[in-house]
Each structure stands twice: as structure tokens, then as C-alpha cells.
Amino acid sequence: SLIGLNQLWYSGYPRSRFHFINDNREWLQMDKMGHVSASYYTGVIGIKAYEWAGFSRKKAIWYGGMTGSVFLTIIEFLDGTSQQWGASSGDLIANTTGSLLAIGQALVWNTQKIQLKYSYSPTKWANINPGQLGKNHLERSLKDYNGQTYWITFNINSILNIENSNIPNWLGFSIGYSGDAMTQPFAEDKAMRYRQYYLSLDVDLNKIKTKSKIVNSVLYTFGFLKFPMPSLEFSNKNVSFHPIYY
């Protein structure tokens, strides 16, 4: 996958000596949220993969949990040797944070009581700058930070640790973060751009078990997606209610 990424993404741009850039103020830090979430979820999958491969639980947690950071650090190296981009210390910190969230919960609780989730819906802003925000829906789901929302979901039963609770074990409470009206990484659209915060409920697909191994695998595969639910949005523009938000 890294070889393919190098050929598809970086090969068409001029190379340079390895260097760092400071991109911590770009896109209202939405890109950093993406790094944390990608590293976290890759770590969760990595832990299960290393256990499946026969490693001890502790080794699986450490080796598997660091999978996301290792993978994304290699991407940072590719960025750092590309003249158009550069390695980012903020990205490296975000990658490590995601891995430590997966590892820490596995060590302390032996489960993931707190999960990072992702959701996306198309926006009008990508048409203004398709070069950076994406030319089609697949690209925009990765590049258009206006349409992305990153969530931290708390499993209600696991966090409260209530025995014989009537609360379904798949129900979670979510806090979301996004940004809107961003057409450039930095200050060109500073007057328009603003941050958005959300409160919502969520469904933990990993907690839903069926008699079909195939269905269970599908639910687990898409467990990183925030389930569409009613949401409250808070921003410096207003407070609004979304009957269904994704």
C-alpha cells in the first residue's frame, strides 16, 4: 500500500531533501483530527491482528497498537522528501496520540470504552477549490475538511459501569468537532471559516452480534463510522438541531 501510495500520490511531484514544515494552523486542525483517528483505528485493528497471529496479549497491544503510528510515520517521511509538502511535527504528535489512546485503553480496561469515529457529508466548498478539497466524492471524503466530522464516543454502559443496566450495551454518547467555510489551508478565508461542535448519540457496531460471522465482520469493519443520529450543533454562528446528522 505504501509503494502504491508513493506511485499514485508522490511520484508526479518533485523530490527534495528531507525537511519539516509547520502546518499546525491549517484547516482549523481538522487534518490533525484525521491523523489521530486514523492512527487510533489502525491500532485497534492491529491489536486484533497480532492476537490472531498468536502473539501474547501484552505484545499484541504494544506491537499492534503502534501499527498506525508506524504506517503514518512512513507517510510523513514521504511528505518530508517531497518539495511540495514536508514532514509535520504536529502530524507525528497526532499519530502518537491515536496509538496511545488504543494502547492505553487495552492495557487498563482490556477494551475500548472510548472510540474515535468519523462521518462525512458533501459540501458546496469543494467546488471552489477542487484541487485541494477533491474533484469527486471519494477524494472529497478524504480532503474536504468542511464535510468531515470527527467524534469521540463514550460507551455509556462501559463508562458508568452499571450492573444490570437497562441501557443497551451498544449505545454511546458522542462529542463531535468540525469546521466549515474553509476553502484554503490558511488565512485567505479567515473571515468566513468557523469551528463547529456537536453533541449526539451513537451506536457501537462492534457490540451488535448476530449469528452470521460475515455480518459480524461487516459491522466490525465499519465500526469507525459514526452512526447517523439526531445532533445538537454549537458554533459562533448559532445553535442548531439536526434531526439526522452524518
Side-chain angles (χ1 to χ4, degrees), residues 50-64:
Y50 274 80
E51 278 194 303
W52 172 86
F55 284 73
S56 68
R57 174 65 177 171
K58 193 169 185 179
K59 287 184 177 180
I61 290 173
W62 281 105
Y63 296 163

PDB file of all heavy atoms in Angstrom, residues 50-64:
ATOM      1  N   TYR A  50      -2.556  -8.896  15.637  1.00  0.00           N
ATOM      2  CA  TYR A  50      -1.419  -9.536  16.307  1.00  0.00           C
ATOM      3  C   TYR A  50      -1.885 -10.648  17.250  1.00  0.00           C
ATOM      4  O   TYR A  50      -1.193 -11.662  17.411  1.00  0.00           O
ATOM      5  CB  TYR A  50      -0.600  -8.489  17.061  1.00  0.00           C
ATOM      6  CG  TYR A  50       0.439  -7.817  16.193  1.00  0.00           C
ATOM      7  CD1 TYR A  50       0.087  -6.795  15.319  1.00  0.00           C
ATOM      8  CD2 TYR A  50       1.773  -8.207  16.245  1.00  0.00           C
ATOM      9  CE1 TYR A  50       1.030  -6.171  14.515  1.00  0.00           C
ATOM     10  CE2 TYR A  50       2.727  -7.595  15.448  1.00  0.00           C
ATOM     11  CZ  TYR A  50       2.344  -6.575  14.578  1.00  0.00           C
ATOM     12  OH  TYR A  50       3.293  -5.969  13.774  1.00  0.00           O
ATOM     13  N   GLU A  51      -3.037 -10.476  17.890  1.00  0.00           N
ATOM     14  CA  GLU A  51      -3.586 -11.562  18.707  1.00  0.00           C
ATOM     15  C   GLU A  51      -3.940 -12.759  17.841  1.00  0.00           C
ATOM     16  O   GLU A  51      -3.658 -13.908  18.199  1.00  0.00           O
ATOM     17  CB  GLU A  51      -4.828 -11.065  19.464  1.00  0.00           C
ATOM     18  CG  GLU A  51      -4.521 -10.303  20.723  1.00  0.00           C
ATOM     19  CD  GLU A  51      -5.741 -10.135  21.598  1.00  0.00           C
ATOM     20  OE1 GLU A  51      -6.750  -9.587  21.117  1.00  0.00           O
ATOM     21  OE2 GLU A  51      -5.682 -10.545  22.768  1.00  0.00           O
ATOM     22  N   TRP A  52      -4.566 -12.498  16.707  1.00  0.00           N
ATOM     23  CA  TRP A  52      -4.922 -13.570  15.776  1.00  0.00           C
ATOM     24  C   TRP A  52      -3.672 -14.323  15.325  1.00  0.00           C
ATOM     25  O   TRP A  52      -3.690 -15.533  15.127  1.00  0.00           O
ATOM     26  CB  TRP A  52      -5.653 -12.974  14.574  1.00  0.00           C
ATOM     27  CG  TRP A  52      -5.908 -13.950  13.473  1.00  0.00           C
ATOM     28  CD1 TRP A  52      -6.978 -14.796  13.356  1.00  0.00           C
ATOM     29  CD2 TRP A  52      -5.093 -14.185  12.323  1.00  0.00           C
ATOM     30  NE1 TRP A  52      -6.874 -15.544  12.209  1.00  0.00           N
ATOM     31  CE2 TRP A  52      -5.717 -15.199  11.562  1.00  0.00           C
ATOM     32  CE3 TRP A  52      -3.881 -13.642  11.884  1.00  0.00           C
ATOM     33  CZ2 TRP A  52      -5.173 -15.666  10.377  1.00  0.00           C
ATOM     34  CZ3 TRP A  52      -3.343 -14.110  10.704  1.00  0.00           C
ATOM     35  CH2 TRP A  52      -3.981 -15.117   9.953  1.00  0.00           C
ATOM     36  N   ALA A  53      -2.554 -13.594  15.178  1.00  0.00           N
ATOM     37  CA  ALA A  53      -1.305 -14.199  14.720  1.00  0.00           C
ATOM     38  C   ALA A  53      -0.596 -15.005  15.810  1.00  0.00           C
ATOM     39  O   ALA A  53       0.412 -15.654  15.536  1.00  0.00           O
ATOM     40  CB  ALA A  53      -0.359 -13.128  14.188  1.00  0.00           C
ATOM     41  N   GLY A  54      -1.113 -14.976  17.040  1.00  0.00           N
ATOM     42  CA  GLY A  54      -0.556 -15.815  18.093  1.00  0.00           C
ATOM     43  C   GLY A  54       0.328 -15.103  19.093  1.00  0.00           C
ATOM     44  O   GLY A  54       0.922 -15.739  19.961  1.00  0.00           O
ATOM     45  N   PHE A  55       0.434 -13.770  19.011  1.00  0.00           N
ATOM     46  CA  PHE A  55       1.222 -13.040  19.985  1.00  0.00           C
ATOM     47  C   PHE A  55       0.503 -13.011  21.329  1.00  0.00           C
ATOM     48  O   PHE A  55      -0.719 -13.123  21.397  1.00  0.00           O
ATOM     49  CB  PHE A  55       1.454 -11.605  19.505  1.00  0.00           C
ATOM     50  CG  PHE A  55       2.495 -11.467  18.428  1.00  0.00           C
ATOM     51  CD1 PHE A  55       2.231 -11.891  17.134  1.00  0.00           C
ATOM     52  CD2 PHE A  55       3.741 -10.920  18.711  1.00  0.00           C
ATOM     53  CE1 PHE A  55       3.179 -11.763  16.137  1.00  0.00           C
ATOM     54  CE2 PHE A  55       4.698 -10.792  17.725  1.00  0.00           C
ATOM     55  CZ  PHE A  55       4.429 -11.222  16.435  1.00  0.00           C
ATOM     56  N   SER A  56       1.277 -12.868  22.411  1.00  0.00           N
ATOM     57  CA  SER A  56       0.660 -12.690  23.726  1.00  0.00           C
ATOM     58  C   SER A  56      -0.148 -11.412  23.732  1.00  0.00           C
ATOM     59  O   SER A  56       0.075 -10.507  22.920  1.00  0.00           O
ATOM     60  CB  SER A  56       1.736 -12.635  24.815  1.00  0.00           C
ATOM     61  OG  SER A  56       2.504 -11.440  24.684  1.00  0.00           O
ATOM     62  N   ARG A  57      -1.087 -11.323  24.664  1.00  0.00           N
ATOM     63  CA  ARG A  57      -1.962 -10.160  24.724  1.00  0.00           C
ATOM     64  C   ARG A  57      -1.159  -8.869  24.872  1.00  0.00           C
ATOM     65  O   ARG A  57      -1.406  -7.881  24.173  1.00  0.00           O
ATOM     66  CB  ARG A  57      -2.938 -10.315  25.899  1.00  0.00           C
ATOM     67  CG  ARG A  57      -3.825  -9.094  26.175  1.00  0.00           C
ATOM     68  CD  ARG A  57      -4.781  -8.808  25.052  1.00  0.00           C
ATOM     69  NE  ARG A  57      -5.653  -7.677  25.374  1.00  0.00           N
ATOM     70  CZ  ARG A  57      -6.469  -7.090  24.509  1.00  0.00           C
ATOM     71  NH1 ARG A  57      -6.529  -7.524  23.254  1.00  0.00           N
ATOM     72  NH2 ARG A  57      -7.229  -6.087  24.870  1.00  0.00           N
ATOM     73  N   LYS A  58      -0.156  -8.861  25.763  1.00  0.00           N
ATOM     74  CA  LYS A  58       0.609  -7.643  26.001  1.00  0.00           C
ATOM     75  C   LYS A  58       1.407  -7.240  24.767  1.00  0.00           C
ATOM     76  O   LYS A  58       1.447  -6.060  24.394  1.00  0.00           O
ATOM     77  CB  LYS A  58       1.541  -7.840  27.193  1.00  0.00           C
ATOM     78  CG  LYS A  58       2.142  -6.535  27.696  1.00  0.00           C
ATOM     79  CD  LYS A  58       2.839  -6.723  29.031  1.00  0.00           C
ATOM     80  CE  LYS A  58       3.338  -5.391  29.579  1.00  0.00           C
ATOM     81  NZ  LYS A  58       3.992  -5.561  30.902  1.00  0.00           N
ATOM     82  N   LYS A  59       2.054  -8.206  24.110  1.00  0.00           N
ATOM     83  CA  LYS A  59       2.813  -7.893  22.902  1.00  0.00           C
ATOM     84  C   LYS A  59       1.879  -7.426  21.785  1.00  0.00           C
ATOM     85  O   LYS A  59       2.212  -6.513  21.027  1.00  0.00           O
ATOM     86  CB  LYS A  59       3.617  -9.105  22.444  1.00  0.00           C
ATOM     87  CG  LYS A  59       4.828  -9.405  23.316  1.00  0.00           C
ATOM     88  CD  LYS A  59       5.629 -10.565  22.746  1.00  0.00           C
ATOM     89  CE  LYS A  59       6.886 -10.820  23.579  1.00  0.00           C
ATOM     90  NZ  LYS A  59       7.674 -11.948  23.035  1.00  0.00           N
ATOM     91  N   ALA A  60       0.711  -8.068  21.682  1.00  0.00           N
ATOM     92  CA  ALA A  60      -0.252  -7.677  20.648  1.00  0.00           C
ATOM     93  C   ALA A  60      -0.702  -6.237  20.855  1.00  0.00           C
ATOM     94  O   ALA A  60      -0.858  -5.478  19.889  1.00  0.00           O
ATOM     95  CB  ALA A  60      -1.455  -8.616  20.663  1.00  0.00           C
ATOM     96  N   ILE A  61      -0.893  -5.859  22.113  1.00  0.00           N
ATOM     97  CA  ILE A  61      -1.332  -4.489  22.403  1.00  0.00           C
ATOM     98  C   ILE A  61      -0.264  -3.480  21.975  1.00  0.00           C
ATOM     99  O   ILE A  61      -0.568  -2.489  21.309  1.00  0.00           O
ATOM    100  CB  ILE A  61      -1.658  -4.332  23.900  1.00  0.00           C
ATOM    101  CG1 ILE A  61      -2.934  -5.117  24.251  1.00  0.00           C
ATOM    102  CG2 ILE A  61      -1.822  -2.855  24.268  1.00  0.00           C
ATOM    103  CD1 ILE A  61      -3.232  -5.168  25.738  1.00  0.00           C
ATOM    104  N   TRP A  62       0.988  -3.743  22.341  1.00  0.00           N
ATOM    105  CA  TRP A  62       2.049  -2.787  22.026  1.00  0.00           C
ATOM    106  C   TRP A  62       2.410  -2.790  20.548  1.00  0.00           C
ATOM    107  O   TRP A  62       2.466  -1.736  19.915  1.00  0.00           O
ATOM    108  CB  TRP A  62       3.283  -3.063  22.884  1.00  0.00           C
ATOM    109  CG  TRP A  62       3.149  -2.524  24.268  1.00  0.00           C
ATOM    110  CD1 TRP A  62       2.910  -3.222  25.422  1.00  0.00           C
ATOM    111  CD2 TRP A  62       3.211  -1.156  24.675  1.00  0.00           C
ATOM    112  NE1 TRP A  62       2.817  -2.386  26.499  1.00  0.00           N
ATOM    113  CE2 TRP A  62       3.012  -1.102  26.068  1.00  0.00           C
ATOM    114  CE3 TRP A  62       3.432   0.037  23.988  1.00  0.00           C
ATOM    115  CZ2 TRP A  62       3.022   0.087  26.794  1.00  0.00           C
ATOM    116  CZ3 TRP A  62       3.446   1.229  24.691  1.00  0.00           C
ATOM    117  CH2 TRP A  62       3.238   1.248  26.080  1.00  0.00           C
ATOM    118  N   TYR A  63       2.634  -3.961  19.979  1.00  0.00           N
ATOM    119  CA  TYR A  63       3.014  -4.032  18.564  1.00  0.00           C
ATOM    120  C   TYR A  63       1.848  -3.611  17.671  1.00  0.00           C
ATOM    121  O   TYR A  63       2.010  -2.810  16.752  1.00  0.00           O
ATOM    122  CB  TYR A  63       3.457  -5.451  18.195  1.00  0.00           C
ATOM    123  CG  TYR A  63       4.693  -5.936  18.900  1.00  0.00           C
ATOM    124  CD1 TYR A  63       4.999  -7.294  18.938  1.00  0.00           C
ATOM    125  CD2 TYR A  63       5.568  -5.062  19.537  1.00  0.00           C
ATOM    126  CE1 TYR A  63       6.137  -7.764  19.582  1.00  0.00           C
ATOM    127  CE2 TYR A  63       6.699  -5.506  20.183  1.00  0.00           C
ATOM    128  CZ  TYR A  63       6.978  -6.865  20.209  1.00  0.00           C
ATOM    129  OH  TYR A  63       8.097  -7.318  20.837  1.00  0.00           O
ATOM    130  N   GLY A  64       0.704  -4.185  17.945  1.00  0.00           N
ATOM    131  CA  GLY A  64      -0.468  -3.857  17.125  1.00  0.00           C
ATOM    132  C   GLY A  64      -0.924  -2.436  17.307  1.00  0.00           C
ATOM    133  O   GLY A  64      -1.305  -1.757  16.350  1.00  0.00           O
TER     134      GLY A  64
END
